[in-house]
């Protein structure tokens, strides 16, 4: 079983729709959860970072963590064509040298149709 | 200016060649990473340097050789690669004071022919 499972898509939705992206994980030691956005032929950029269970909102983006179900989500409201990208979930526990080792999902490729 | 700069952005090399990828971070971080990204696979952590000391080597073949001369620079030396090594190689950096977030460069697209 993979430590982090993420549906690779592709996912296509019309402009203005609400997008829901999800990851499940098996390692209960994971405490920190991140979403990265990666445009085509670019490096991933950090989009959202959460620590505890619950919701965190930043503009049109909401990150949700449910540690009891080992399930995280990223919601995008009022989706725009510029949101078309691959979204990677990432998570970590704590390593012994202080810098965290991230475990990534495979990424979900999202296309917003104008 | 991006915080993490990688060169070259694209590289085509033969299986008998020797080449190097370079990474420089301008964020004052104390840890640097090499990741490999292949199609339809999760990002694979290759090497981690913390305070210029290698702290992790994820069973990477010896044809990949990292070098970290200081906290701002990271190299990946490549020799006698295989076609299956063709991928996007991403450099990243982080700080023990920035939580668990790592910051990526744009990547170096490597094609082995």
């Amino acid at each position: 079983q993979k430590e982090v499972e993420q549906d690779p898509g592709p996912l296509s939705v019309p402009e203005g729709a609400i997008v829901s992206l999800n990851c499940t994980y098996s390692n209960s030691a994971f405490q920190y959860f991140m979403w990265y956005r990666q445009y085509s032929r670019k490096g991933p950029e950090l989009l959202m970072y959460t620590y505890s269970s619950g919701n965190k909102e930043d503009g049109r983006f909401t990150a949700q963590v449910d540690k009891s179900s080992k399930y995280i989500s990223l919601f995008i409201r009022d989706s725009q064509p510029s949101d078309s990208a691959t979204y990677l979930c990432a998570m970590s526990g704590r390593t012994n040298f202080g810098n965290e080792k991230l475990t990534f999902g495979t990424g979900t490729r999202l296309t917003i149709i104008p | 200016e991006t915080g993490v700069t990688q060169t070259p952005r694209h590289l085509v090399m033969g299986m008998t060649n020797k080449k190097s990828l370079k990474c420089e971070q301008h964020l004052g971080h104390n840890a640097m990473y090499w990741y490999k990204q292949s199609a339809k696979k999760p990002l694979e952590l290759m090497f981690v340097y913390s305070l210029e000391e290698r702290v992790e080597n994820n069973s990477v073949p010896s044809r990949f050789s990292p070098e970290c001369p200081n906290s701002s620079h990271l190299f990946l030396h490549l020799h006698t690669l295989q076609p299956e090594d063709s991928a996007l190689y991403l450099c990243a950096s982080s700080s023990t004071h920035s939580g668990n977030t790592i910051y990526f460069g744009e990547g170096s697209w490597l094609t082995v022919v």
Side-chain angles (χ1 to χ4, degrees):
Chain A
Q1 183 188 12
K2 291 180 186 175
E3 276 194 298
V4 178
E5 298 271 4
Q6 183 176 12
D7 185 341
L11 178 64
S12 296
V13 300
E15 184 175 356
I18 296 175
V19 176
S20 173
L21 303 167
N22 312 293
C23 287
T24 59
Y25 62 95
S26 58
N27 188 343
S28 57
F30 288 145
Q31 303 175 56
Y32 307 92
F33 305 91
M34 284 137 275
W35 286 96
Y36 284 83
R37 178 175 62 196
Q38 186 174 21
Y39 290 113
S40 180
R41 308 192 76 80
K42 299 281 190 180
E45 57 177 322
L46 181 66
L47 197 59
M48 297 285 284
Y49 169 82
T50 55
Y51 169 63
S52 59
S53 284
N55 292 355
K56 181 177 180 179
E57 192 173 316
D58 184 0
R60 297 184 294 111
F61 298 90
T62 299
Q64 189 174 80
V65 174
D66 182 349
K67 287 186 179 178
S68 62
S69 302
K70 297 190 178 67
Y71 188 88
I72 69 171
S73 299
L74 177 71
F75 297 98
I76 307 174
R77 290 186 302 280
D78 187 24
S79 55
Q80 306 293 311
S82 59
D83 296 327
S84 299
T86 296
Y87 290 81
L88 301 140
C89 64
M91 45 200 80
S92 71
R94 177 161 293 281
T95 62
N96 58 7
F97 58 86
N99 296 96
E100 308 310 320
K101 175 182 174 180
L102 295 183
T103 301
F104 285 85
T106 53
T108 299
R109 188 172 170 186
L110 172 67
T111 300
I112 306 299
I113 304 166
Chain B
E1 178 192 273
T2 57
V4 181
T5 305
Q6 288 187 243
T7 54
R9 292 296 315 282
H10 300 272
L11 177 63
V12 179
M13 60 185 289
M15 289 190 282
T16 57
N17 290 161
K18 288 185 181 181
K19 298 284 184 184
S20 296
L21 306 180
K22 179 184 174 183
C23 177
E24 183 175 358
Q25 60 97 359
H26 312 276
L27 301 169
H29 289 166
N30 55 12
M32 297 188 76
Y33 309 75
W34 280 115
Y35 280 86
K36 177 183 178 182
Q37 189 174 36
S38 305
K40 299 184 180 178
K41 285 187 176 181
L43 281 167
E44 299 171 52
L45 179 63
M46 300 175 72
F47 301 103
V48 182
Y49 278 82
S50 180
L51 298 172
E52 300 156 43
E53 196 174 315
R54 191 191 310 181
V55 296
E56 186 139 356
N57 174 348
N58 270 1
S59 303
V60 179
S62 59
R63 57 187 185 267
F64 295 92
S65 175
E67 179 190 359
C68 186
N70 55 61
S71 59
S72 299
H73 293 87
L74 185 66
F75 295 89
L76 188 63
H77 303 300
L78 316 168
H79 63 99
T80 59
L81 294 191
Q82 304 299 310
E84 60 264 29
D85 296 322
S86 299
L88 177 65
Y89 289 85
L90 289 159
C91 175
S93 69
S94 72
S95 167
T96 50
H97 305 294
S98 66
N100 300 71
T101 53
I102 66 172
Y103 297 85
F104 287 92
E106 298 285 347
S108 294
W109 285 93
L110 173 66
T111 303
V112 181
V113 296

